[in-house]
Every structure is written in structure tokens, then in C-alpha cells.
Amino acid sequence: MAMLAEQYRYVIGGDPDRDTIDLAVLDTATGGVRAHLVEAADGPGYARMLAWADEHAPEKRVWALEGTSSFAAGLAQTLAESGEAVVEVGAVKRTRGAKNDHIDAVRAARTALAREFQTLPRARGLREALRMVLATRAAVLVSRTKAINELKSLIIVAPEHLRAQLRGLSLARQLGRIEALRTPPGAEVEHRVTISTLRSIAARVRFLQRQAKELDPELASLVAQHTAGPVLLAEPGVGPVVAAQLLVSWSHRGRVRNEAAFAALAGTSPLEASSGQRIRHRLNRGGDRDLNRALHTVAITRVRCHAETRAYQATATARGKTRREIRRSLKRALARRLYRRMQAATRPSAGRPTAA
């Protein structure tokens, strides 16, 4: 892949904030800053940015933006709809010294210029819908677990005549008993407040359970609509939640350049830590941890119920590999396999567009 300086005359670096975006135009031939602009991060502001770019970067140009999935999402979408070339600049490392939005915009452009491989912004549309449902579902599950823990803790310290009615029961039966509790006339304040608090938390648990049940079918429906969705669901150990996370992290064909880069994104690529005569690798704790967790789920599911994976585990164990080493190898192999499945499923062909 050619570097930006070989493809474009100008690079426009962007440092977004909630309400404004700082832009800086760099000449790729000299590396000098030609112009700087601060504009509102809204529809009219995006139009003015394009007009400004036509004036100060009239020849072949590319936009290098930070935060294309957050503060710069609107600008990135507007630029894509206008046919502009856009690359994503991740978190830029900052050295000690002066720091302001203008400097950060210039730094974003120079960071993109120095890179051999560029990253395209994540896709919108179906991919963004999947991400929103996944994020909402994760938040609901965290809130539900917290509410259940609050309920269990309150039952432990409740008055004995209440606690005796609830201990040793399943959560479903506890919720039913709590909903049936009533405060008798003349009850002591502790008894009355305990019942009202238990009923309040139980109602919250019920609400969050309903939300989770509503989100799961929505997620499955969205996965099925994706070109690569049915292919992923056909893989052993891959369900709608895992498939959705794979599609969200992968985004679209062309964003991740190869399966090795996808493994690095997932944090499943071993990192070399050799020194002198000692050759070794260490665990990669970077990358997208949600994607890493999804691959971990597939790996442990296959070890439990997939004949081919169980046979591999038996062979590796006989060679002296530990369970952790086997699981890491499985996750690396799964990253390779599932990446290739998504790439193949979205390969352009006559009459079939690439998935968004």
C-alpha cells in the first residue's frame, strides 16, 4: 500500500471536540501547514469545511480525522457522502510540550502521513445498528446483575421473618414472593421500608429482564440481515451475540487489511519477547477486548462440544501444552478462520453489493 504522500497532494488533519472541529491543511510535498480552520461540528459547519477545503486544498486530498466513531462521526459521514477520501487516526501519542487543538490537528495529519498502512473509518448503517444494540444490551446486563446483587444483599440483612421466606429460593421464585409481600397495618418502620425496598429492586430486575429479552431477537434479526451473518452463525460456537461483535469489530471489507491485522485487533496475536538466545512470545493484552472475549467464548464452546477442536486439544495436551496455551492457539486460529469467512462472504460479485 502506497503512503499518503505518494497518493495525495494535501492531507487535512482534524481534531474534533463536542461542538467544534479544528482542521489543518498540510502540503505533502513540503510538510508545511497551508491553512487552519475552526468550525462548528454541525451540518452547516460541515458544508463550510468542504468549501474551505476546496479553497485551500483544491487538488487531490485526503482527510485524516481523530474520533471518526465519536465527535467526528458526523463529519466523516458527510465527507463519505461527498466522495471525499477519509482515513482514521487513532489516539495520537503526545509528547511533553505545547498542546492545543490546532497543534493536535496538525499532529493528526502528520501521523497519517508517517504511516505505511491507513485505517478506514468504520461503516455506518447496519454495522452501527449492531453496535448500538450490542452496547445497549451490555449496559442492560450490567445493570441487571447489579440489581440482582443488591436484592441478594438486602435479603441477607432483612428481618428474620422476611428473610426466612426468601432464602434458598431461585431468583424467579424470590421475585414472585417479593411481589406478593404486603405491609400489614401497624408494621414497624424497618419492616415497612424493607418490603418497599425489596419490591422496588424486584421491579427493576423485572424491567431489565424484559429489556434483555427484547434486545436479543432484535440483535439476531440484524445479524441475519448482514451478508456475512448467516456464514458466521453456521460456525460451531458462534451465536447472534458473538456474530454481532465480530461484525462490529471487523466493520466492513477493506478496513482490516489481512487476517494477521485482524488477529492483532482481537489481541490474539502473540507478541515476540525474545532476547539474546532465548526465543519466546508473550500474551497480547491489547486490541479490542470485546472482540477478544467473543473469540474466547467460541473457543471454550468448541472445546466442550466440537469434535475437531476436542481432538486438537487432546493432541496438544499430549505434546505438553497447557490449557491456557491451547486456548490461545485456538483463539488465534479462530481469528484467522472467521476473518476469512467474513471476507469471503462480502466479496463483491455480479449483482451483489458489499455489505455495509
Side-chain angles (χ1 to χ4, degrees), residues 167-197:
R167 291 184 66 182
L169 301 179
S170 65
L171 175 64
R173 294 187 65 189
Q174 283 179 336
L175 293 175
R177 288 275 182 93
I178 290 170
E179 289 165 346
L181 290 175
R182 296 294 181 270
T183 304
E188 294 184 357
V189 63
E190 182 183 1
H191 180 95
R192 176 174 54 80
V193 172
T194 300
I195 289 179
S196 65
T197 305

Side-chain angles (χ1 to χ4, degrees), residues 231-232 234-236 259 262 295 302 306 308 330-344:
V231 175
L232 290 175
E235 289 288 318
E259 60 87 10
F262 186 72
L295 293 174
R302 288 196 178 205
H306 186 235
E308 185 179 342
L330 283 174
K331 289 164 68 175
R332 177 65 181 87
L334 285 168
R336 178 185 303 111
R337 178 181 180 86
L338 296 175
Y339 171 81
R340 291 177 177 177
R341 290 291 184 273
M342 290 185 287
Q343 289 288 106

Side-chain angles (χ1 to χ4, degrees), residues 220-236:
S221 174
L222 290 172
V223 169
Q225 294 175 38
H226 198 288
T227 308
V231 175
L232 290 175
L233 293 175
E235 289 288 318

Side-chain angles (χ1 to χ4, degrees), residues 305-327:
C305 58
H306 186 235
E308 185 179 342
T309 305
R310 292 174 65 86
Y312 167 77
Q313 183 183 40
T315 303
T317 301
R319 295 201 307 265
K321 296 289 186 179
T322 65
R323 291 180 64 183
R324 285 188 175 183
E325 289 173 332
I326 293 170
R327 193 159 54 238

Side-chain angles (χ1 to χ4, degrees), residues 1 116-120 249-250 252-269 291 332 334-344:
M1 180 181 295
E116 181 179 359
F117 299 105
Q118 304 299 330
T119 303
L120 300 177
S249 299
W250 172 76
H252 62 279
R253 185 182 179 87
R255 174 173 164 80
V256 183
R257 64 182 180 273
N258 54 38
E259 60 87 10
F262 186 72
L265 174 65
T268 60
S269 56
L291 176 57
R332 177 65 181 87
L334 285 168
R336 178 185 303 111
R337 178 181 180 86
L338 296 175
Y339 171 81
R340 291 177 177 177
R341 290 291 184 273
M342 290 185 287
Q343 289 288 106

Side-chain angles (χ1 to χ4, degrees), residues 194-214:
T194 300
I195 289 179
S196 65
T197 305
L198 284 170
R199 288 171 60 83
S200 174
I201 299 175
R204 195 192 324 157
V205 172
R206 291 284 197 196
F207 171 74
L208 293 169
Q209 286 178 333
R210 287 195 300 271
Q211 273 201 319
K213 288 182 179 180
E214 293 169 358

Side-chain angles (χ1 to χ4, degrees), residues 26 127 136 201 353:
L26 263 67
R127 184 261 173 198
T136 303
I201 299 175

